[in-house]
Amino acid sequence: MNDTFLKACRGERTDYTPVWFMRQAGRYLPEYQAVRGKVSFLELCKSPELCTEVTLQPIDIFGFDAAILFSDILIPMEAMGLALEFHEGRGPVFPDPVRDREAVDRLRVPEPEESMPFVLETIRLLRRELSVPLIGFSGAPFTLATYLIEGGSSKVFLETKKMMFRAPELYHALLEKITACTSAYLQAQARAGAQALQLFDSWAGVLAPQDFQRFALPYVRSIISDLRAMTDVPIIYFANNGSTLLPHTTTAGADVLGLDWRINIGDAIRQVGDHAVQGNLDPIALFLPRQELEKRIRRLLEDAKGARGHIFNLGHGIVPQTPPEQARIAVDAVHRFSGR
Ligand code: CP3
């Protein structure tokens, strides 16, 4: 078992810097496209055999140091009782957005083994196959709430912020339900065998710091504190576009803070005390010519030297247009340049 990733999460010394990429299983891989060509995205998410297959693809092809469970952050929202659709080219859609008290009251807090057995079964299957650690994940409550309230992806988050500012009690009631669902879901993943857990707060960066503190952070903290009571698996908190939120995200209780590329990793490390960090190459840097890409990677590794632990990653998900060969160049470069 290659446990370099887990050691880096815990701030222990490693022989080299471990690397994985957010969205490493996905459309940039012809091998993924081949599987996806036969089923819809939701069907894929609900088939443990196919999820296992696509989770393993990037590990086998590129030699990443960790695997991330193939699923989607919105799966538990469907389990709360909401219709969920994925539209080609448009992303996720909730045809019945959650915007009033009745809609919040209708939401269930699902029992994960009962309502999402396929996710937990995928984790069990993967643990038998993998020789690198398996990361489980969920969305963070604020990010999940934006999809429910907006009915899909958004640019200005008008409905979400309107609810926050004008109907804070309703907003908090919704967030409490999402938090209860997410907490139980991540606990179930840990029990099924996930060896680390990442909370994706993809939209945290659209909030003013004081709003982040009031409307997003308490729910993340509550989930992490529930997890601490039942497991010692490392917890990664990724607040995208969150460099100005670091004074707050450092209080979330996570072991590792995920960083997007908008901050120099060395500057971030000076702010995060004894947290390990994960990140933070601009995903579009993978389109650079080899020499320049390698130069950036070398520089990033250099800048991250003062970290309590560093897990190399992109600053957000790999984009579908990325030539797979570029992922290989990056993984090899991280391993080569960081070898001690
Ligand atoms: O490899 C991995 O990282 C594991 C799988 C994974 C997916 N989604 C698969 C996926 C993970 C960890 C996610 C998380 C996720 N999903 C997030 C948080 C991370 C982030 O990017 O900020 C968010 C916001 C979602 C919601 C979501 N799912 C959107 C907005 C979309 C459409 C946009 C897009 O990239 O197509 C999805 C669909 C989705 N999730 C795909 C994949 C591989 C593409 C679906 C397809 O095959 O057509």
Side-chain angles (χ1 to χ4, degrees):
M1 165 81 172
N2 169 0
D3 64 349
T4 311
F5 163 80
L6 293 175
K7 281 187 171 152
C9 289
R10 295 192 212 103
E12 294 165 17
R13 219 189 129 73
T14 58
D15 297 334
Y16 62 90
T17 302
V19 51
W20 71 278
F21 287 173
M22 290 187 274
R23 294 281 180 101
Q24 65 191 18
R27 284 168 300 177
Y28 74 108
L29 282 181
E31 293 84 353
Y32 170 83
Q33 301 273 20
V35 174
R36 181 64 176 77
K38 290 180 265 173
V39 291
S40 73
F41 178 64
L42 275 175
E43 283 166 336
L44 172 52
C45 287
K46 291 173 188 178
S47 158
E49 288 73 25
L50 295 180
C51 284
T52 299
E53 183 181 343
V54 299
T55 302
L56 294 173
Q57 284 172 350
I59 312 302
D60 296 340
I61 300 170
F62 304 118
F64 286 111
D65 296 290
I68 182 158
L69 167 71
F70 190 87
S71 185
D72 195 84
I73 59 166
L74 300 176
I75 292 290
M77 302 299 98
E78 188 184 44
M80 290 184 86
L82 285 170
L84 167 63
E85 298 163 6
F86 279 87
H87 294 232
E88 221 53 58
R90 200 172 136 218
V93 175
F94 289 102
D96 310 304
V98 179
R99 295 190 186 160
D100 55 29
R101 173 60 67 174
E102 292 66 41
V104 172
D105 288 344
R106 270 197 303 272
L107 292 173
R108 289 193 297 269
V109 175
E111 205 290 296
E113 288 283 355
E114 214 167 85
S115 58
M116 296 170 276
F118 44 88
V119 174
L120 305 170
E121 179 59 17
T122 303
I123 293 175
R124 294 184 194 104
L125 289 173
L126 278 166
R127 282 302 307 277
R128 275 182 241 148
E129 301 279 334
L130 279 167
S131 52
V132 296
L134 176 63
I135 305 167
F137 71 89
S138 75
F142 167 71
T143 287
L144 294 172
T146 67
Y147 285 97
L148 266 50
I149 300 168
E150 304 293 335
S153 300
S154 177
K155 282 213 169 74
V156 295
F157 301 91
L158 177 63
E159 297 301 330
T160 307
K161 291 185 182 180
K162 262 165 53 186
M163 189 191 288
M164 259 180 195
F165 296 155
R166 291 165 42 167
E169 279 178 25
L170 181 61
Y171 174 86
H172 285 297
L174 171 60
L175 270 276
E176 268 166 35
K177 270 195 159 170
I178 295 173
T179 299
C181 167
T182 303
S183 179
Y185 181 52
L186 288 174
Q187 291 178 51
Q189 291 187 37
R191 275 194 297 272
Q195 291 155 290
L197 295 167
Q198 173 155 328
L199 279 141
F200 284 92
D201 221 343
S202 308
W203 300 115
V206 306
L207 292 173
Q210 77 267 20
D211 291 322
F212 175 75
Q213 251 181 304
R214 254 178 81 198
F215 293 110
L217 184 60
Y219 300 103
V220 174
R221 264 201 203 122
S222 152
I223 291 166
I224 294 177
S225 115
D226 289 351
L227 285 166
R228 292 279 182 226
M230 57 80 64
T231 175
D232 57 6
V233 303
I235 299 164
I236 307 165
Y237 178 46
F238 172 58
N240 183 37
N241 220 334
S243 44
T244 55
L245 301 173
L246 282 173
H248 307 299
T249 52
T250 46
T251 69
D255 302 278
V256 184
L257 291 176
L259 302 169
D260 65 79
W261 66 91
R262 298 166 189 89
I263 187 167
N264 172 275
I265 198 163
D267 291 340
I269 289 163
R270 284 183 278 280
Q271 292 181 55
V272 302
D274 60 357
H275 289 79
V277 292
Q278 174 174 282
N280 69 342
L281 186 72
D282 183 337
I284 309 304
L286 292 176
F287 292 78
L288 284 166
R290 179 184 194 126
Q291 279 197 332
E292 287 173 54
L293 171 59
E294 291 186 340
K295 210 163 115 192
R296 278 196 190 222
I297 290 171
R298 199 189 277 280
R299 175 75 195 272
L300 205 163
L301 290 165
E302 199 60 40
D303 288 347
K305 275 209 165 128
R308 175 152 195 269
H310 177 213
I311 299 123
F312 195 101
N313 205 315
L314 304 176
H316 202 178
I318 188 167
V319 303
Q321 298 85 349
T322 309
E325 223 19 62
Q326 295 291 101
R328 178 185 307 285
I329 289 172
V331 171
D332 290 349
V334 173
H335 285 157
R336 229 164 353 106
F337 298 156
S338 67
R340 312 186 235 285

